[in-house]
Amino acid sequence: MTTITQIQPLDVPSAIVQRRSIKTFKSDPIAPELLKQLVELTVAAPSSFNVQSWRIVLVQDEAQRAALAAASWNQKQIVQAPVTFVFAADATAGEQDLTPILEKAQETGAWNEATVGYFKNAVPQFQAGLGDKRREYAIKDAIIAATHLVLAAESLGLSTCFMNGWIEDQVKAVIGATDNPDLAIAVLVPVGYAAEPRLNPGRLPYDYNVFVDNINNPYQG
Ligand SMILES: Cc1cc2nc3c(=O)[nH]c(=O)nc-3n(C[C@H](O)[C@H](O)[C@H](O)COP(=O)(O)O)c2cc1C
């Protein structure tokens, strides 16, 4: 079994290029220290006002994995992989008590008293102004964290698959969040050791979807 001590982490460009969405995983467990490192690198992601509105559930228990797979059109990655990260997003995070966030930033010296004073009012105001977009904004934070996880996992010798194929209410039931209407499911990411390689399906030429200055001016590379 691969352990954290045996791994020479891949650099970021190499991890980006090497990463594939893996559909078949070995049942090998992830060493607890390695899983902890993944969690650390995941929550190192940036978020709007540093509110960290992601709510991440590590689904590891066999029965829980089976239930989560059933909520995900029986996609087998979730049963096979030793852990699936469920990235949920709390649309009300910016309205909750911000004290732990503000105190931490003051403790590290990143935010001075004036910044903290500003954020105390600005964050709830911004949040209130979002209205119906609160959910969308929280999901952005969660997806950015999921991207950190995927690249960190690749760098550390693991494989992943971003997953959109699930039924939100059913996933919420599995993680015990049925009663929370403000919790959205952003994405699921099984993590483990790949059982088989996958080829890169390739990408469109840049001039399809990359532009310079104006959406009508394709980037030629
Ligand atoms: C947001 C998102 C959702 C996806 N959902 C699924 C999924 O439910 N099941 C699956 O097998 N692959 C899923 N994929 C994987 C894509 O099919 C895959 O990323 C794409 O074909 C490109 O392949 P690559 O990731 O190996 O570059 C998803 C990818 C993304 C980014």
Side-chain angles (χ1 to χ4, degrees), residues 157-216:
L158 291 154
S159 293
T160 57
C161 184
F162 279 110
M163 292 180 69
N164 251 352
W166 33 262
I167 298 160
E168 184 164 42
D169 288 347
Q170 292 184 16
V171 173
K172 285 180 71 168
V174 173
I175 63 166
T178 299
D179 296 340
N180 186 349
D182 295 314
L183 198 82
I185 304 299
V187 72
L188 269 52
V189 182
V191 184
Y193 294 98
E196 54 186 17
R198 303 258 325 166
L199 292 175
N200 184 348
R203 297 296 185 265
L204 293 165
Y206 302 140
D207 62 1
Y208 270 72
N209 50 18
V210 185
F211 307 91
V212 179
D213 296 326
N214 182 299
I215 197 76
N216 298 311

Side-chain angles (χ1 to χ4, degrees), residues 36-197:
K36 188 173 177 192
Q37 193 179 9
L38 288 181
V39 171
E40 278 171 16
L41 294 169
T42 300
V43 303
S47 58
S48 180
F49 290 115
N50 201 30
V51 161
Q52 303 159 59
S53 52
W54 48 72
R55 302 289 181 261
I56 302 165
V57 183
L58 312 177
V59 176
Q60 294 177 290
D61 174 78
E62 204 176 325
Q64 281 292 85
R65 275 155 48 201
L68 192 60
S72 310
W73 309 106
N74 291 313
Q75 294 193 72
K76 65 183 187 315
Q77 297 99 309
I78 294 174
V79 188
Q80 293 172 346
V83 58
T84 290
F85 284 57
V86 175
F87 284 88
D90 188 340
T92 67
E95 294 150 42
Q96 293 169 13
D97 180 15
L98 301 176
T99 310
I101 293 165
L102 301 175
E103 280 183 356
K104 184 75 184 176
Q106 258 189 314
E107 187 190 306
T108 68
W111 295 354
N112 62 24
E113 217 166 313
T115 309
V116 166
Y118 168 74
F119 278 170
K120 241 180 220 163
N121 297 319
V123 175
Q125 264 173 31
F126 178 79
Q127 179 80 6
L130 285 177
D132 288 348
K133 286 197 176 283
R134 291 180 319 159
R135 178 186 155 101
E136 184 182 316
Y137 271 63
I139 287 177
K140 288 187 210 188
D141 289 345
I143 295 284
I144 291 166
T147 305
H148 272 57
L149 167 66
V150 161
L151 294 180
E154 190 70 37
S155 167
L156 294 170
L158 291 154
S159 293
T160 57
C161 184
F162 279 110
M163 292 180 69
N164 251 352
W166 33 262
I167 298 160
E168 184 164 42
D169 288 347
Q170 292 184 16
V171 173
K172 285 180 71 168
V174 173
I175 63 166
T178 299
D179 296 340
N180 186 349
D182 295 314
L183 198 82
I185 304 299
V187 72
L188 269 52
V189 182
V191 184
Y193 294 98
E196 54 186 17

